[in-house]
Structures are given as C-alpha cells and as structure tokens.
C-alpha cells in the first residue's frame, strides 16, 4: 500500500488535460470491450482498444504514474496477442480486462487527489495474463520471438512526414500517429523509432517520419491521423508502386529507398492547430450567466424605449434608440444561441456507460440480453445531461434485473431466450424524449394495487376506482420502493420515486406503459436547457408568475354560467372534456392577503389551460387575475435562504427589475392527483416565505 501524498510530473493545467483525456479513453475502452465480447472478430474494435490502452500507457508513463503504465502495458500485451492470432477473445478475458479498467479508474483518481488507491495492480495485471486465452504452444513462441519477419504487403510504400506541435504530450501524439498508421498497413520504419518515442525522446518542434507499406489509399491513412490532436503539417509521398516484396529499409536511414520517389507526390497540409479546444465547464457556466444578464438588460432596454416613445412621441433620437435596441436584441439572440450550442453535448456521454451495466447485471442474473441503443448523437444541454445519469442507470438495472425474464422462463412462454432492451433518444419540439423499452413480463397492475393498499398508499375504495394507467403511477410512490416488497410485481418499484423526483426537479416528466407478458416502456421527457425559456407572464394576488410556454395550451375567459361544481370542485367543459380549475391564489396560500381576488363584474374568470408533457397529458385550468404577455426569461434558482417551495421551480428577473416566480406546472397537477382533488392543496403563503428570506 502506497502512503503519503503522491507526486506526478505535471502542472495544474497539464493535470486537467491528462484527466480529461484519460476519462475519454477509459470510457472508449470500456464501451468497446463490451462490443468486442459480442463481436470477437471485429478488427476495428480491437485496434481501437489497443490504441487507447497504448495511449494511456504513454500518457501515464510521461507523468511518472508507474502503476497505471504497468497495468495498461499488461492489457496492451494481451490485446496485441489477439491481434497477432496468439490469443483469442473469451468472456473470461473480457471480464478481466473490464476489471482492469475499473482499477485504472481508481488509479486515475490518484492523479486528481494525490491519494493512493487501495487496489492491487499486480493482481489485476495477473488476471489479464491468466485469462489471455492463449492457443497451445503460442505462449512459448511469444516469449521467444524476436522481431516479426517481414510479411508480404501488397500495394504501395508511402512516406509520412508529420510535424509535432508544441505541447505536453509530444511523445504520446507521435505514438498515436505511429499506431494509427500501423492499423492501415505495415510500418517498415520510423524516425524516431518506436522505442525512442516510448522513452519520450520525441521533442516539441520535431518531426516524425514513417514508412508504411499498404494497399489502402492514402486518404484512409490521412483520416486515421486527422483525429489526433496537436499534429502540425502532414506530408505524404508515394515512394514505390505495387511490389510483390517489401522494399528493404534501414532503420538508421529511413528515407533511403531502392526506388526513387515518383513525380506524383502528394502534399497534405493538416490543420495549423486543432479545430476543437477543451474549455472548463465553469467558464461556460460563467459565460451563460453573463448572457442571461444581457438578455435581462435587452428586455429592459426595449421597455425603456417604448416608455419614452409613449411619453415624448416619435422623436428622432428615440427612433435611433429603438433601432439600436433592436440591433442589440438581434446580436444578443445570436450570442445566446451560440453559447447554448457550445453547452450542448450528445447523450452518448451518458449512454456509453450503460452497456457495461447491462452486461454485468445480466451476467449475475444468468440472462442473455440484446441491448440496442439509438439516437446517441441527440444533443442536450450539459446541465441536463448531468442530471439524467442516475435515473437512467436505475431504470436500466430494474429492466435487466426484474423486467426481463431468465432464458428458461422466456422459452417456457414462447419467447426467444435472448431478451431485448432498447434505449432511444430523439428530439420532440423543445424537448428530448428518452425511452427505455423491454420485452419482459410487464407489470402486474393488480398486484401493484394490492401492494399499494397493503402499504397504506391508497384506500381499497380508491384502488378499486383506479384505471390501469392511474394504478401504474403508484409504482412511483415512496411507499413502494424496495425490491423485496415488490418482488411479485416485477420489482419495478425499486427507487422509482427517486427517479421521478430527479426528473421532475429539472422540469421533466416520466411515464410508464406496460402490457402484461409483452414488456414495459419508460418514457422520459426533458427540456433541452435549464437556463433560458419562453414563458407566459400572469398576475396573481399582486405578484407576477411565469408559466413555461411549453406547458400552456390556451387562454380563455370563462363566464360564470360555464363554471360547474364537480365533486365539490370547480370545473368547466372544454371541447367535450372536463377541465378542473385551480385558483393559483389559493394554491399559493394568498387567500388571506389584504387584496381581494380580482374578477370581472359579471363573475367571469380568466383561465390559462396548462398540461403536463407526458404522452398521457393531464390538463387543468389555472385561474389568474391578469395576462402580461410572453417573454423570454432567465431561470434563476431560489437559493438556500428561500429553499424549495412546492409548486415553484425557480425565479426570473424581469426587465423592470421585478421578480417573477416560475410555476412548476407538473408539480401542481401531480399534487392535485395525489390529493384526489381537482385543485392543489394550499401551499405555504408565498409572500411570507419570500419576506422571511429577505
């Protein structure tokens, strides 16, 4: 066990670069290993894993992390044995390699924390070596072999001259380039040689010259180099035509060729610098906050211009002011759009961790599952992506552990022994929709009702009146949240209350559909961003509230004779559908305010019809006292002084400096459903909560 603070040869900036690159490479290795187990003959996957492991080895050796370098060297050796046909891909080898990846993640944390991880690196390396799946006699040949004899490689011989840019990982980039070219042909020589590169002799400002014999086109090899950062100009020359024998090349003089260069010499100028850069997410967050303030001031500027025009008429200076305000508004909109795009990430960053989870849980359960992932390129704001990892992980575990049956059980009911689990992401309007569908046994709705009654979640009479879809919502109740309690209900209640709470916290929704014996589908709808939204501003009890526009169906003026009493609650008929009415004044506990509720002289009410965003949308009418209009608002958290307030998801600063509270429509509707009423239960008076916090 290592003791004391660990020391590595890298600066603070270099540490960030190292950790980001290693995280990306480890994720790529883990995902590719799971795929390789299903497709053991996929040469491209094998090469990708080998290249990533080799890069990690070089990077860790560069900073002096000997334990990480040693373990990746053991992995690289076994992967190279597979590439050479000495070893085969077996489930045991994949398991050992995946466990080695888990150890590497802990070793990676050592660089960040400078605290030694309590892991046995030698045991992890030995496990990889023991489970290499070596063919009989191949082990001895591997130990005794020297340099591999030259193989016949048809095609042409190419000389690549690659400039190495300044940076902390010059040797690593040179090694990546060498390995990348080696995947498309036979590397005859390199200057500097691979041994010197691995010894970190490649220096900034130097060049790498590689001779490659390949039958593949030059473009394929250039594309292999294009994804490697910190490479400068690339020059490629065709040195020999097709030959039945490789041209002998001296390692000391790599450019000496028996055949002179052909006149057709290709010069390819790579990017002068990388087309992408890594930016600390804290800087993006700070930039977004500044853009948000700019949006607020833009709105204020427009309002001031309109006020001045109303006061002083069509003055020339005011016209110029309005024109300038409009131009600033357009620039602000474009800036906001670009900043939002810079924060967008593909959901692949979350999805890529899930195949490993499916594999491990299925193996423990003795199940065989075909895991299909679609829409990995669908983009979502970084802040939202950070919040969906745990809910998805929980749903995946439940689907594999409790949803899909064992092979024997599936065959007994006429299903194929291999279960199917499909994860899909897609855009729908201003939302992203993520669905998880399995072909398992489905949820026993009647068993859910019985368990809910038993746990006191609902009364027997209420359970009897429930539709199947309403009963399904009970699986999200906190009282039904342990696997043991719901083992006779496919275990779907395990922590699903936490799943729904986490999704609704970011203004999303989750719903479930099931068909007994055929499977279950969970659908999550999430906003594309949590920062800036379009909202309808309304006035209630002297305050301003913001309703997210995606939740608003329509606004209408309801006459007194149109309001009916249903179960002692107010409701109206809207296109042959009962629309329950919820008075926002009452919902937020403002009935005891000095200001009386505002209504027209004839008793009519102003109603905003709102709905949840699930497929089985529920709709209510919110009684408000005035409409202000639509406006783009910047969402601000309420802060710890105010705390979480039921029915409110945040606040927004308006152009005139006033504060609007953002209504959590889904929470209001859910509260009404939970209370089995058509109006939400009174919440703590908003004005008192805010005044106390101030």
């Amino acid at each position: 066990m290592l003791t004391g603070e660990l020391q590595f040869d890298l600066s603070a900036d270099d540490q960030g670069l190292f950790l980001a690159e290693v995280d990306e490479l480890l994720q790529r290795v883990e995902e590719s290993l799971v795929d390789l187990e299903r497709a053991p003959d996929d040469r491209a996957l094998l090469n990708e894993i080998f290249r990533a492991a080799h890069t990690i080895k070089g990077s860790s050796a560069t900073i002096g992390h000997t334990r990480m370098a040693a373990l990746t060297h053991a992995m690289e050796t076994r992967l190279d044995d597979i590439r050479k046909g000495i070893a085969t891909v077996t489930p045991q080898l994949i398991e050992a390699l995946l466990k080695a990846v888990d150890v590497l993640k802990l070793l990676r944390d050592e660089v960040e924390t400078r605290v030694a991880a309590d892991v046995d690196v030698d045991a992890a390396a030995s496990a990889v070596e023991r489970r290499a799946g070596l063919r009989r006699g191949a082990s001895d040949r591997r130990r005794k072999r020297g340099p591999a004899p030259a193989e016949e490689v048809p095609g042409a011989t190419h000389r690549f001259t690659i400039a190495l840019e300044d940076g902390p990982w010059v040797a690593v980039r040179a090694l990546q380039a060498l390995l990348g070219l080696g995947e498309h042909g036979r590397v005859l020589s390199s200057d500097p040689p691979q041994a010197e590169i691995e010894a970190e002799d490649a220096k900034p400002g130097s060049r790498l010259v590689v001779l490659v014999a390949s039958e593949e086109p030059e473009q394929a090899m250039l594309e292999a180099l294009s994804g490697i950062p910190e490479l400068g100009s690339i020059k490629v020359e065709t040195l020999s035509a097709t030959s039945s024998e490789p041209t002998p090349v001296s390692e000391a003089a790599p450019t000496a060729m028996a055949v002179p260069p052909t006149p057709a010499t290709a010069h390819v100028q790579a990017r002068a610098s990388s087309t992408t850069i890594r930016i600390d997410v804290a800087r993006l967050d700070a930039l977004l906050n500044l853009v948000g303030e700019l949006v607020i001031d833009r709105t204020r500027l427009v309002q001031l211009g309109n006020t001045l025009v109303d006061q002083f008429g069509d003055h020339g200076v005011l016209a110029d002011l309005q024109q300038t305000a409009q131009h600033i508004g357009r620039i602000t909109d474009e800036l906001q759009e670009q900043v939002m795009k810079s924060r967008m990430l593909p959901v692949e960053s979350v999805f890529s961790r899930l195949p490993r989870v499916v594999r491990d849980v299925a193996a423990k359960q003795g199940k065989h599952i075909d895991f299909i992932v679609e829409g990995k390129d669908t983009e979502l704001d970084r802040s939202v992506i950070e919040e969906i990892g745990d809910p998805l992980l929980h749903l995946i575990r439940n689907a594999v552990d409790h949803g899909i049956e064992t092979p024997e059980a599936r065959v007994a009911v006429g299903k194929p022994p291999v279960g199917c689990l499909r994860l899909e992401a897609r855009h729908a309007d201003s939302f992203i929709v993520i669905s998880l569908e399995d072909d398992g046994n489905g949820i026993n709705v009647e068993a859910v009702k019985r368990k809910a009654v038993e746990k006191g979640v609902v009364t027997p009479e209420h359970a009897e009146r429930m539709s199947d879809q309403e009963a399904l919502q009970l699986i999200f109740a906190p009282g039904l949240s342990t696997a043991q309690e719901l083992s006779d209900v496919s275990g779907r209640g395990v922590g699903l209350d936490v799943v729904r709470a986490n999704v609704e916290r970011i203004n999303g929704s989750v719903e479930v559909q099931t068909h007994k014996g055929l499977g279950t589908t969970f659908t999550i709808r999430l906003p594309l961003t949590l920062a800036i939204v379009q909202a309808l501003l309304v006035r209630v009890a002297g305050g301003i509230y913001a309703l997210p526009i995606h939740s608003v169906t329509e606004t209408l003026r309801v006459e007194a004779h149109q309001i009916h009493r249903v179960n002692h609650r107010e409701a109206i008929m809207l296109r042959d559908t009962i629309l329950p009415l919820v008075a926002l004044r009452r919902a937020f506990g403002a009935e005891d305010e000095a200001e009386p509720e505002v209504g027209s002289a004839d008793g009519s009410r102003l109603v905003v019809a709102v709905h949840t965003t699930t497929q089985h949308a529920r709709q209510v009418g919110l009684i408000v006292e005035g409409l202000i209009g639509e406006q783009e608002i910047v969402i601000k958290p309420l802060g710890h002084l105010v705390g979480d307030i039921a029915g409110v998801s945040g606040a927004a600063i308006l152009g005139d400096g006033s504060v609007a509270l953002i209504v959590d429509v889904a929470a209001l509707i859910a509260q009404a459903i939970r209370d089995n009423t058509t109006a939400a239960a009174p919440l703590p008076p908003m004005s008192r909560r805010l005044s106390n916090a101030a």
Side-chain angles (χ1 to χ4, degrees):
M1 173 68 185
L2 300 177
T3 57
E5 182 176 343
L6 300 179
Q7 299 295 328
F8 299 105
D9 184 18
L10 78 173
S11 65
D13 290 339
D14 291 346
Q15 175 175 309
L17 177 62
F18 174 84
L19 294 175
E21 185 165 78
V22 167
D23 286 341
E24 180 181 335
L25 292 171
L26 287 176
Q27 187 57 56
R28 189 185 307 168
V29 170
E30 184 175 75
E31 185 177 4
S32 297
L33 282 172
V34 175
D35 293 337
L36 185 64
E37 186 175 30
R38 296 196 295 261
D41 297 326
D42 192 325
R43 188 79 176 181
L45 274 176
L46 181 61
N47 286 331
E48 183 176 4
I49 299 168
F50 177 84
R51 185 168 63 248
H54 206 130
T55 303
I56 295 173
K57 185 183 83 168
S59 301
S60 55
T62 299
I63 68 172
H65 199 325
T66 55
R67 295 209 297 169
M68 178 176 276
L71 181 53
T72 48
H73 177 73
M75 297 172 62
E76 173 198 17
T77 301
R78 299 303 157 251
L79 293 166
D80 195 38
D81 286 337
I82 299 173
R83 297 204 308 174
K84 290 180 169 59
I86 298 173
T88 58
V89 176
T90 64
Q92 294 77 19
L93 175 58
I94 295 295
E95 181 69 25
L97 289 170
L98 286 172
K99 289 183 177 178
V101 170
D102 293 337
V103 174
L104 287 174
K105 291 178 181 178
L106 297 175
L107 297 178
R108 171 263 184 218
D109 292 342
E110 291 183 343
V111 180
E112 187 171 23
T113 64
R114 295 299 203 270
V115 177
D118 186 14
V119 292
D120 192 337
V121 177
D122 292 336
S126 298
V128 172
E129 293 170 353
R130 286 197 307 270
R131 293 167 180 159
L134 295 177
R135 296 193 177 112
R136 183 175 299 174
S139 180
D140 292 337
R141 290 197 304 273
R142 178 177 56 77
R143 284 193 293 267
K144 294 177 182 178
R145 71 175 183 264
E151 300 174 0
E152 291 189 3
V153 181
T157 301
H158 308 277
R159 177 168 58 202
F160 286 83
T161 304
I162 305 168
L164 302 175
E165 291 186 351
D166 293 347
W169 312 111
V170 178
V172 174
R173 303 313 183 201
L175 185 58
Q176 282 181 286
L178 194 60
L179 293 173
L181 291 173
E183 294 178 5
H184 294 274
R186 178 175 177 77
V187 175
L188 303 177
S189 70
S190 68
D191 180 20
Q194 182 171 336
E196 292 183 13
I197 295 174
E198 292 181 348
E200 304 173 41
D201 285 345
K203 303 300 181 185
S206 62
R207 67 177 188 172
L208 171 67
V209 181
V210 185
L211 294 181
V212 183
S214 175
E215 62 179 352
E216 296 190 26
E218 288 177 355
Q219 188 59 35
M221 290 180 278
L222 288 171
E223 289 176 358
L225 298 175
S226 65
I228 302 173
E230 298 171 10
L231 296 184
S233 62
I234 302 173
K235 176 184 174 182
V236 56
E237 302 168 272
T238 302
L239 300 179
S240 65
T242 304
S243 173
S244 60
E245 296 182 2
T247 305
V249 180
S250 168
E251 186 70 35
T255 59
M257 302 300 299
V259 181
T262 62
T265 301
H267 294 269
V268 180
Q269 184 70 30
R271 57 203 179 284
S273 60
S274 178
T275 57
T276 60
I277 60 174
R278 297 183 185 274
I279 300 179
D280 192 320
V281 294
R283 292 187 179 181
L284 283 178
D285 290 341
L287 184 59
L288 182 63
N289 286 334
L290 291 174
V291 170
E293 296 299 322
L294 191 58
V295 170
I296 294 172
D297 288 340
R298 174 203 63 188
T299 305
R300 177 59 173 160
L301 188 59
V302 171
Q303 289 179 346
L304 286 174
N306 293 335
T307 301
L308 290 174
V309 170
D310 291 340
Q311 263 188 307
F312 302 104
D314 236 355
H315 194 279
V317 174
L318 294 182
D320 291 342
L321 175 62
Q322 283 191 310
Q323 185 177 1
T324 303
Q326 291 173 357
H327 182 258
I328 291 177
R330 288 194 298 270
I331 298 300
T332 302
D333 289 341
E334 293 179 11
L335 179 60
Q336 174 191 329
E337 182 181 359
Q338 293 303 319
V339 171
M340 296 306 299
K341 286 182 177 179
S342 70
R343 293 170 52 89
M344 301 296 277
L345 294 174
V347 293
E348 181 180 10
S349 58
V350 175
F351 284 8
S352 59
R353 301 195 297 264
L354 301 176
R356 170 80 185 275
V357 175
V358 174
R359 176 196 178 275
D360 291 349
V361 177
K364 291 179 182 179
Q365 298 291 325
K367 298 175 181 178
H368 305 293
I369 296 176
D370 184 15
F371 186 40
I372 302 171
V373 180
E374 298 177 347
K376 291 190 293 186
D377 295 334
T378 306
E379 290 189 333
L380 190 59
D381 189 276
R382 183 188 65 83
S383 58
V384 181
I385 280 184
E386 290 177 348
E387 300 292 337
I388 65 172
D390 288 343
L392 273 181
L393 183 64
H394 210 109
L395 292 177
I396 287 280
R397 288 184 179 276
N398 272 289
V400 177
D401 192 11
H402 305 290
I404 297 179
E405 314 93 329
T406 62
E408 297 78 14
R410 292 177 62 86
V411 171
V413 295
K415 292 183 179 180
V418 178
C420 181
L421 185 62
R422 181 184 300 274
L423 178 65
E424 179 188 8
R426 67 184 187 276
H427 280 128
D429 298 327
S430 59
F431 287 85
I432 182 175
V433 179
I434 300 175
S435 60
L436 180 68
E437 177 184 2
D438 68 60
D439 67 344
N441 195 40
I443 301 175
N444 188 329
V445 177
E446 292 302 320
V448 171
K449 290 183 180 180
R450 290 196 300 271
K451 188 60 65 176
V453 171
E454 177 185 327
K455 302 300 295 183
V457 177
V458 295
T459 64
E461 296 76 17
H462 190 188
E464 185 68 26
R465 294 195 306 268
M466 278 184 163
S467 66
D468 287 351
Q469 189 59 39
E470 290 173 332
L472 274 178
Q473 304 308 310
L474 293 172
I475 66 175
F476 297 105
L480 302 175
S481 59
T482 68
Q484 183 178 3
E485 291 172 348
L486 272 186
S487 58
D488 59 333
V489 198
S490 297
R492 291 287 185 174
V494 184
L496 291 182
D497 59 319
V498 177
V499 171
R500 169 165 279 183
N502 288 350
V503 171
E504 290 183 347
R505 188 175 67 247
I506 55 176
N507 299 325
S509 62
V510 57
E511 67 168 358
V512 58
Q513 290 180 300
T514 190
H515 299 282
K516 189 173 182 180
L518 298 178
T520 301
T521 300
F522 283 90
T523 303
I524 298 175
R525 291 175 61 91
L526 300 166
L528 291 178
T529 178
L530 301 180
I532 300 174
V533 299
Q534 195 76 13
L536 174 65
L537 301 182
V538 299
R539 193 174 299 280
V540 176
I544 300 176
Y545 293 81
L547 303 172
I549 204 68
H550 59 72
S551 297
V552 176
T553 305
E554 61 183 295
T555 62
L556 58 154
R557 171 71 67 175
V558 179
E559 304 297 333
H561 66 86
Q562 294 176 299
I563 301 175
H564 306 280
R565 306 288 293 186
V566 179
N567 292 331
H568 307 290
R569 303 289 175 175
E570 292 184 338
I572 63 172
M573 292 297 296
L574 181 63
R575 289 184 289 278
D576 299 326
T577 301
I578 296 178
L579 180 70
L581 298 182
V582 175
L584 276 186
R585 171 184 284 264
R586 185 186 312 143
F588 290 129
E591 285 186 307
D592 58 347
E593 299 285 343
E595 181 186 354
E597 182 174 350
V598 177
S600 64
D602 58 0
S604 65
R605 305 288 183 86
L606 188 60
V607 174
V608 180
V610 295
H611 62 276
T612 58
T613 54
T614 62
Q615 180 177 349
H616 297 280
R618 293 180 178 275
Q619 190 170 231
V620 300
L622 301 180
I623 299 175
V624 301
E625 294 153 21
L627 297 178
I628 299 175
E630 289 188 31
Q631 185 174 315
E632 198 170 48
I633 60 173
V634 180
I635 300 176
K636 301 286 187 180
L638 291 175
H640 66 279
L641 290 178
V642 177
D644 293 332
I645 299 178
V648 175
S649 60
I653 302 174
L654 304 180
D656 59 359
S658 61
V659 176
L661 296 174
I662 303 172
V663 177
D664 187 345
V665 173
L668 286 181
I669 295 177
Q671 181 65 43
I673 294 173
R674 284 193 293 269
D675 292 344
N676 193 28
T677 68
T678 57
L683 304 174
M686 192 66 59
S687 57
R688 289 204 299 267
R689 292 288 299 275
L690 294 177
S691 60
N692 290 341

